[in-house]
Amino acid sequence: MSTTSPPPSPPSSRPSPSASTSSSNDDQLQTPRASTHPTTIALAEDYFAPPLPPRPSLEVNTSNVLLSIQSATSSGASTPGLQAKPTTAISLPEGVHAQQQDAVVNGSGSITGAPSFSDSVSVNSLVPTLSAGDNDVESMLGEILEEEGGFLKARRDIINIGGGGAGIEEVEFWDEGWDGSSDDEGLGEEELVARWRARRKHFFILSSAGKPIYSRHGDESVLSGYMGVIQAIISFFQDDNDTLKSFSAGKHRFAIAASGPLYLVAISSMGESDSQLRSQLDALYTQVLSTLTLSQLNKIFAQRENFDLRRLLGGTEVFLDGLSDAMTLGSPQVLLSALECVKMRKSHREKINSILLKHRSPSLLYGLVIADGRMVSVLRPKRHSLHPPDLQLLFSMLFNATTFRDGGEHWTPICLPKFNSKGFLHAYIHFFRKEVAVVLISANKDAFFEMREMKEVVVEQLEKAGSIKIIEAAVSNGRYTATDVLSPGTPIRHFLYRSKNNVQFTMPSFEPHFYTIIARRRLMNLYQRLHAAVHAKNALLKVHHCIRSSSVSLSWVTPMFELYCVAVAGTNRATLVKSATAIAAWVKREEERLFIGGVVSSPFVHDFYQRGSRN
Amino acid sequence: MASRDEAPKLSSSVKLVLLGEAAVGKSSLVLRFVNDDFQENKEPTIGAAFLTQKCALPSRTIKFEIWDTAGQERFASLAPMYYRNAQTALVVYDITKPTSLTKAKHWVSELQRQASPGIVIALVGNKLDLAATTASDGGDADGGDGGDGGDAGSRAVLTAEAKAYADEEGLLFYETSAKTGENVQSVFEAIANAIPENTLKPRGGAGGFAGSGRGGGAGGAGGSGGEGRVGTAVNLEDGVGAKDGCAC
């Protein structure tokens, strides 16, 4: 494939990624509808020869240029000056692909031949620059789109989370209907593309050959050209043994993960840090692996670089979609890499544990009782830990999609990549109550009836012991609230507490203060920022206090836990600290109810095996 | 327990497997049969779902133990696990999608080669509710394109064509609509009636799952306690290889 310039844009010179990209996208790139609205070209890169060695910067030259990149690395002098007008036009529908070949050569006459980018351009450290002033921001996708059609604007709720001018535009991410819903039917391709671009967050998966595999939004016609360009950009840097990890375009952060033969790309204007975006990509990658296994994935692409993986992933889009949406909404699980338990009395949980243990069948590897997306009980062999990413995968499949929630019994192959990325396990999944499931995992693909029998006995025993009622009550009562933990008048609105030992977290209900999706999204966004601040690479922060117009927040990291709490605006520091201390003390007191001890990823022998034996 | 068909009013378990291309409506057929319900835009089955439903016949009660398998190709290599020991199979295609009949034919021949001898196979053309606008001739049917054809919602596989194939292979044949319920009950009743008496065995007591390949017994194929014996490790790669071949 190759890149092209939009017709209206001036000729340009640029490093051409084309050489290394696959030709498979050619046809798609020829999409007709080009000229209709040239100004909406999605992304145009502009490489600019840095005047000064240390910071090769990529600046915006024309109003058409939407993306500017600046490399923060400094190997200056050797950096080839690359000046180009919009080149890598990612805009598919503009279809302007014809001119690209010559685009490589002219422009300012500076270096053009592709891979002459030296190592100096380490994208690893790219820093967003909006050097051309705010005009660039103005020309960012969103604004363009707003100009395009007022309806987009109407669909958007602008929220300013706090200081620093960091306005976050919240998209109604739950509205995912445009590619299928009736209100799109009258829309032309431009509008579809415009709406697609208006999304505040995108996830893409493509093969290293540039074949589209997955996108949360948009269909083939919108996507294929973009996929090609993404592949081109990534492989351009790879040609120099450099790895493109992230870059910014205005408010949009692009994070890229090259995982095996796949490229995963997140584009977000929601303010996540690179590492947060990357852990989201990891979660998606884990989902892909769970369907295919790593060895199969590698084998497929070793045999045929051009393989269209969508054929093999068919049917799992719902899981990828569910996970993507959860992460767009803001997933504490993914943010904290931890799981949540249903809070219940220790004796109640032990009863459930012992029933599982007593009736476990020989082929059982892992046994779980899960309710409402939270763990109730986990049974595992002494020497096999359960890794949070694997569990998250399972939870996401169970609760972010409806596939398994029809009340039927399911038997499905599943790869838990952290357990073993090379092979499949087999999961018996049954929601025996609306929100309560038993999951029994075996390495034996023929163990269905064995697992089924175990489930029948276990459910019967749980019923008899009254445990099911307890679980259902815990689910229907919802989580505790901040006022349960602190005094009724507490200024604390919400908190996240992550226990490092248990790799689990606990939090109060999102109600009443974060009842709406927008409010919840704002809250999660704030948590993302707090989390990023204390997890920045060089951060030695243990306590981080943040005052904004809308809230006051505190992050507190100790060797035992991470605590993030959010209070109403105007709360003074002393009150905040006192509350945080009280939360930590409360969690410690309630630890055995809030967390399952020693189960998840614990290096220790799980002790309920011993305890269970007394039954 | 050991008594075979002597009891006057029989209650027998029958293992039934559904096979067919993705999105032809296998799960919807089962949902209609088991719960008399229908969902638009059902999410694809992953792996397989297991359901049971009784079907009362004048002379006996049949308890179907239904394996509703996923149609995606990557699960194809798991299929033998589900049709092994099955006494009956529903092979489903979509009457608006000719390629799905081709796939159905592959399943039929695989069953004939690999499944229990004497397995009762029913060929089922689903989505009859979409047949309203019939294609005028076979030419359309052949030319009909895959997925989009389905959405367009017109018949692309002629009844006569599928019927002729079914007759040739000795299959039961029905056209159904899981959406309207048309013929769904009939298919299962016909199957229940078609199962030879001597392959039925009384239902085991509670806990009869123990072990395995229950329902077995068809001809010599059955063997009890038979799970896990065939050394076919779960090997999706087979499926991949096949797919690979036709991927371009």
Side-chain angles (χ1 to χ4, degrees), chain B residues 25-107:
Chain B
K26 297 181 292 299
S27 298
S28 294
L29 276 175
V30 177
L31 187 65
R32 175 60 75 188
F33 176 56
V34 173
N35 291 341
D36 196 20
D37 194 9
F38 180 77
Q39 292 173 10
E40 297 279 354
N41 303 318
K42 211 171 176 320
E43 289 182 358
T45 303
I46 298 296
F50 181 81
L51 303 95
T52 60
Q53 172 70 341
K54 285 184 184 144
C55 185
L57 300 179
S59 62
R60 59 191 180 189
T61 301
I62 300 284
K63 185 190 179 197
F64 282 112
E65 297 181 346
I66 303 167
W67 278 111
D68 172 23
T69 65
Q72 280 77 17
E73 283 193 55
R74 70 173 178 280
F75 296 114
S77 62
L78 292 173
M81 184 166 92
Y82 301 113
Y83 64 64
R84 181 199 312 154
N85 296 334
Q87 289 133 291
T88 176
L90 279 190
V91 178
V92 187
Y93 69 95
D94 173 352
I95 62 162
T96 69
K97 197 176 170 192
T99 56
S100 70
L101 179 60
T102 309
K103 182 67 193 169
K105 289 176 180 175
H106 288 150
W107 279 121

Side-chain angles (χ1 to χ4, degrees), chain A residues 472-596:
Chain A
E472 287 189 305
V475 169
S476 67
N477 292 341
R479 298 179 177 90
Y480 55 89
T481 64
T483 49
D484 294 340
V485 177
L486 303 159
S487 62
T490 180
I492 298 290
R493 287 291 176 254
H494 200 266
F495 63 84
L496 292 180
Y497 179 104
R498 178 184 194 271
S499 162
K500 291 185 177 176
N501 269 353
N502 295 312
V503 206
Q504 291 161 45
F505 74 94
T506 185
M507 65 179 181
S509 169
F510 285 112
E511 299 181 36
H513 303 291
F514 306 98
Y515 173 69
T516 67
I517 289 187
I518 291 288
R520 184 177 159 187
R521 174 60 242 170
R522 282 170 76 186
L523 177 70
M524 288 309 304
N525 191 283
L526 178 56
Y527 280 136
Q528 278 162 0
R529 285 156 191 260
L530 294 173
H531 181 270
V534 290
H535 286 85
K537 222 173 193 174
N538 299 317
L540 297 171
L541 285 173
K542 298 295 181 210
V543 178
H544 176 68
H545 182 215
C546 178
I547 300 174
R548 297 178 170 213
S549 58
S550 57
S551 66
V552 174
S553 52
L554 181 79
S555 322
W556 181 16
V557 178
T558 77
M560 300 299 293
F561 64 81
E562 295 167 21
L563 173 62
Y564 308 89
C565 49
V566 175
V568 290
T571 307
N572 68 42
R573 192 180 301 184
T575 313
L576 194 59
V577 168
K578 204 172 138 195
S579 301
T581 313
I583 291 169
W586 177 82
V587 171
K588 181 140 186 61
R589 217 163 45 238
E590 299 282 320
E591 188 161 16
E592 291 182 318
R593 297 178 178 187
L594 292 168
F595 304 124
I596 297 179

Side-chain angles (χ1 to χ4, degrees), chain A residues 291 296 299 303-304 307 311-316 319 402-403 409-413 424 426 445-446 448 452, chain B residues 43-44 46-50 67 72-74 78 81-82 84 209 228 232 234 236-237 240 243-244 246-247:
Chain A
T291 307
Q296 193 185 352
K299 189 174 164 189
Q303 286 170 354
R304 287 189 45 163
F307 189 81
R311 304 186 50 148
L312 279 188
L313 289 176
T316 60
F319 300 124
T402 60
T403 306
E409 297 167 78
H410 297 264
W411 182 241
T412 183
F424 285 104
H426 295 264
K445 76 182 166 71
D446 290 311
F448 173 80
R452 184 174 194 252
Chain B
E43 289 182 358
I46 298 296
F50 181 81
W67 278 111
Q72 280 77 17
E73 283 193 55
R74 70 173 178 280
L78 292 173
M81 184 166 92
Y82 301 113
R84 181 199 312 154
F209 305 113
T232 54
V234 180
L236 295 187
E237 285 163 15
V240 174
K243 197 160 317 170
D244 213 348
C246 52

Side-chain angles (χ1 to χ4, degrees), chain A residues 11-51:
Chain A
S12 57
S13 70
R14 63 170 186 75
S16 161
S18 57
S20 56
T21 61
S22 83
S23 58
S24 59
N25 293 303
D26 280 344
D27 35 0
Q28 291 133 350
L29 288 176
Q30 307 296 343
T31 6
R33 325 221 11 171
S35 48
T36 42
H37 57 138
T39 50
T40 59
I41 339 144
L43 292 175
E45 290 182 357
D46 208 11
Y47 295 101
F48 185 77

Side-chain angles (χ1 to χ4, degrees), chain A residues 158-230:
Chain A
I158 308 217
I159 291 169
N160 195 332
I161 273 230
I168 303 293
E169 288 185 51
E170 297 280 343
V171 148
E172 296 179 8
F173 46 82
W174 59 87
D175 174 16
E176 54 194 62
W178 71 262
D179 44 358
S181 68
S182 52
D183 65 333
D184 285 336
E185 280 172 12
L187 297 177
E189 189 170 335
E190 301 166 38
E191 285 92 348
L192 289 180
V193 171
R195 297 180 79 166
W196 178 77
R197 282 201 203 124
R199 300 272 171 194
R200 277 296 164 267
K201 194 157 183 176
H202 283 282
F203 291 106
F204 303 120
I205 304 175
L206 60 157
S207 73
S208 53
K211 285 223 174 196
I213 293 170
Y214 172 77
S215 168
R216 176 61 191 95
H217 303 292
D219 63 15
E220 183 75 32
S221 66
V222 178
L223 288 172
S224 46
Y226 288 88
M227 292 293 184
V229 173
I230 288 169

